[in-house]
Each structure stands twice: as structure tokens, then as C-alpha cells.
Amino acid sequence: MSLMQQWEDMVSVFNDDAQAQQKFWTDYYLQEKGVYESLLEEPVEVVSGTVQELADKYEMDVVLFGGFLDGINESLKEANPVNELEADSQVKIDIDLEKLYYNMVAAKAEWLYELPQWDKLLSEEKRKELYKAQKRSMTVVKDKKIGRNDPCPCGSGKKYKFCCGK
């Protein structure tokens, strides 16, 4: 069974027990934060090895580390095949810092995008720019509503109510 399937099974176990679910995610987020702190200390270094080796390096359970890899995958320069990962699969963590910061904001993961390590990696202006860009991407802009008596946008010259508005 792939690590992703094990991860999904592990997460779904807590669906009926809110207290256990809260404890699981709190523990996971603390471990995740530790891995990010370590990775962001030396971001230019490409980290590679088997999933098990990296899980051991960051002192995480291999299945939890598989979940971590799923979370960071979109922020890598080259994605890993997370759905096919096994403990002995080779992976590479080559982070695109701007994508990572943007995705952390999108995930509303304040505990990650407010890490002090970001101060050395991206300027405050760049972080604000990425933050605003992500927030703008979630803003829905409605087009101007066409009134019944307005000219039809199809260009027929008729009123909307007698043309496309029927």
C-alpha cells in the first residue's frame, strides 16, 4: 500500500472523534513546523534520499512524512510522484521559495508563513506582494449586470429583453 493511501487512511480514522482529530492535527502541525524550520535554514540545499531516510532525518513517522511530502509537493521545482511513494522511494525536495510562501498563505498556515526563517529568504516587500497576490486570486469580481432595457451585448442593436434576454 502506498504511503499516500496509508496517510489518507490514518487521517480518515479521526472523522468521528473530534478530540482525537484535534490532537492528531496539532501534533502533525508541530512536526510539520519543525521540518519547515529545518528546510528553510538551508533553502538552497536540495534535500534528497528515500522517504524513510528523510523521515528519520526529520524525526517523523514515515507515513506522516508522506503527508508532509504531499503538502509541499506543489511548492517544489520538480514534483515528486506522491501517489506512488513507498518508504524506499527516492524523493527530492528542491523548494521554490516564492511558490512555497504563496501556497502557505493559500493554506492559511500562519504558523508556517510567519516563521522567522522567512526574514532571511524573502524581503518583507516580496512577502507582502506574494500575500496580496494570493488574496487577490481568491477575490471574485462580478461583471456588470445587464439591465432589461440595455442594448443587447451580442451587438444586434435590440434591447436585451427582446433579444438574448428572452
Side-chain angles (χ1 to χ4, degrees):
M1 180 184 308
S2 75
L3 288 175
M4 275 314 300
Q5 186 59 49
Q6 291 177 50
W7 167 252
E8 290 168 1
D9 291 348
M10 180 184 288
V11 171
S12 67
V13 166
F14 301 109
N15 287 343
D16 298 332
D17 187 350
Q19 189 173 6
Q21 184 179 40
Q22 180 68 31
K23 182 180 177 352
F24 170 80
W25 285 113
T26 301
D27 292 345
Y28 173 76
Y29 291 148
L30 286 172
Q31 291 180 49
E32 176 187 46
K33 182 179 177 183
V35 175
Y36 276 116
E37 287 171 338
S38 180
L39 285 172
L40 294 175
E41 285 296 324
E42 298 292 331
V44 292
E45 176 188 336
V46 177
V47 179
S48 60
T50 67
V51 177
Q52 184 66 61
E53 290 169 348
L54 295 177
D56 292 343
K57 176 180 179 177
Y58 296 110
E59 299 175 358
M60 263 182 117
D61 174 78
V62 71
V63 176
L64 291 179
F65 194 75
F68 170 81
L69 288 172
D70 180 42
I72 197 173
N73 210 36
E74 289 182 13
S75 303
L76 300 177
K77 293 177 183 171
E78 186 179 321
N80 291 302
V82 291
N83 289 327
E84 303 161 13
L85 291 180
E86 301 290 338
D88 59 351
S89 300
Q90 285 287 329
V91 293
K92 183 168 77 169
I93 302 175
D94 189 7
I95 300 170
D96 179 328
L97 292 173
E98 290 184 12
K99 254 197 225 177
L100 179 61
Y101 190 84
Y102 184 92
N103 290 336
M104 286 177 170
V105 171
K108 298 180 175 90
E110 288 180 40
W111 66 95
L112 298 176
Y113 69 78
E114 291 182 353
L115 287 171
Q117 286 83 349
W118 285 111
D119 295 340
K120 296 182 283 183
L121 304 173
L122 297 173
S123 69
E124 186 173 344
E125 294 80 27
K126 187 63 176 174
R127 291 190 313 251
K128 283 181 181 177
E129 179 186 318
L130 291 167
Y131 184 90
K132 287 178 182 176
Q134 196 291 316
K135 294 302 179 185
R136 269 194 310 273
S137 73
M138 300 303 292
T139 304
V140 176
V141 179
K142 290 186 178 181
D143 288 335
K144 181 180 173 258
K145 184 177 176 185
I146 302 168
R148 292 173 20 92
N149 291 314
D150 291 342
C152 190
C154 76
S156 67
K158 296 179 183 178
K159 288 184 178 185
Y160 180 70
K161 66 183 177 185
F162 294 124
C163 189
C164 296
K166 284 185 176 182

